[in-house]
Amino acid sequence: MSVSALSPTRLPGSISGFLQVVSVLSLLLLLFKVIQFYVHRQWLLRATQQFPSPPANWFFGHKIPEDQDLQEILTRVKNFPSACPRWFWGSKMRLQVYDPDYMKVILGRSGYGLLLLNGETWFQHRRMLTPAFHYDILKPYVRIMADSVHVMLDKWEQIVGQDSTLEIFQHISLMTLDTIMKCAFSHEGSVQLDGKYQPYIQAVGDLNNLFFFRVRNIFHQNDTIYSLSSNGRQAISAYRLAHDHTDQVIKSRKAQLQDEGELEKVKKKRRLDFLDILLFARMENGSSLSDKDLRAEVDTFMFEGHDTTASGISWILYALASHPEHQQRCRDEVQSLLGGGASITWDHLDQMPYTTMCIKEALRLYPPVPGVGRDLSTPVTFPDGRSLPKGISVLLSLYGLHHNPTVWPNPEVCTRFFSTQSFIPPLLRWSKELHWETVCHE
């Protein structure tokens, strides 16, 4: 009797053959990836050969300690005019740009925006949302913002003593979230007094940190590998929490608009709030925004409207605390306008020139968004004749621009009154008289 081809005596040979095939395919895949890596790296090197940079390892790129990122930018600004490649690893590179004329070339082109959209869709949404930023919309918001600040200050009165220290960023984040929820999303109630919003603030902070950790890790560039890592699982959880918050805001407003009285009140408004514009919007082809586009815009505005604002305010207070003489001049200027305890109004805003200069100078030194990324969809040629092909990633370094000595003479000392520090969240001591003092980090 013949032995069946499927008999157990043939199994070891079959397994061996299978393993050989898998091994050959694996080697071919590895060889393909190596060739792909080499070809792409060579293309990047040719594309950026007009832009010198510090020496970089062929695989690991420019290895810069986490706490030296900003100092490294200042070194590049000094030694490599206008722009300089930053290699993250062998085939991952971004051209850092810190020259204003270079930036004009990039920003003058269609790109990614409002935060995530491309091309014509971006322009359509921009035209649609422009009315939300009209002065007639913004003026009444000053009172809402002032009320939110008063709630925050009342909380501080209760939790700190005369010489207590206070980590202000979380409190200011709740205040700015409270403000944006009321001004742009018709929210009723106080975010600052409702503890259920603290997880959203934490999720946004986690996503910020996880993003920078991922950029630095070559193994986390693959979505599958990243999703299996502890950081990846934490990011997925934070994304879900943030999206749930956004979905709830949209759902709540839609429910309110089901009420005929609320709907009639909205229709009588001369100008609509941000979320109402989105909900009532019709694109040029007559269709309304998809749920995906609606969530994307709300996510963008919710995040940018509170997180970067909170960062900017925190650093402004840090800068003033570092220079009490300028803090006092600002206080005197404000008190001359609001001496009797009156609340600030729109008309007061252009009557505080010194305070305005201090705010702008603090934002120059400590930009809440240090850089903005772009992927070139078409080739570009810069004013000095250097050029880049389509497909290159560019990082517009706002921090580098703000500290560029060809733009700002003595940018660290400045006509200006603040000195540059690393971007560690400020820890301040707050007194009952609303004086701020810096507290050194250990």
Side-chain angles (χ1 to χ4, degrees), residues 50-51 101-102 104-106 109 376 378-389:
Q50 297 173 299
F51 300 89
D101 294 326
Y102 270 50
K104 288 177 185 177
V105 173
I106 301 297
R109 313 168 72 84
L376 297 183
T378 57
V380 297
T381 300
F382 296 109
D384 60 4
R386 294 191 288 184
S387 61
L388 291 171

Side-chain angles (χ1 to χ4, degrees), residues 2-12 14:
S2 63
V3 180
S4 170
L6 297 179
S7 67
T9 59
R10 297 292 301 272
L11 286 178
S14 299

Side-chain angles (χ1 to χ4, degrees), residues 9 26 28 75 108 151 226 279 363 365-366 375 384 399 421:
T9 59
S26 298
L28 289 175
T75 301
V151 171
Y226 184 65
L279 293 175
L363 292 175
L365 285 166
Y366 310 108
D375 290 331
D384 60 4
Y399 184 84
Q421 306 287 334

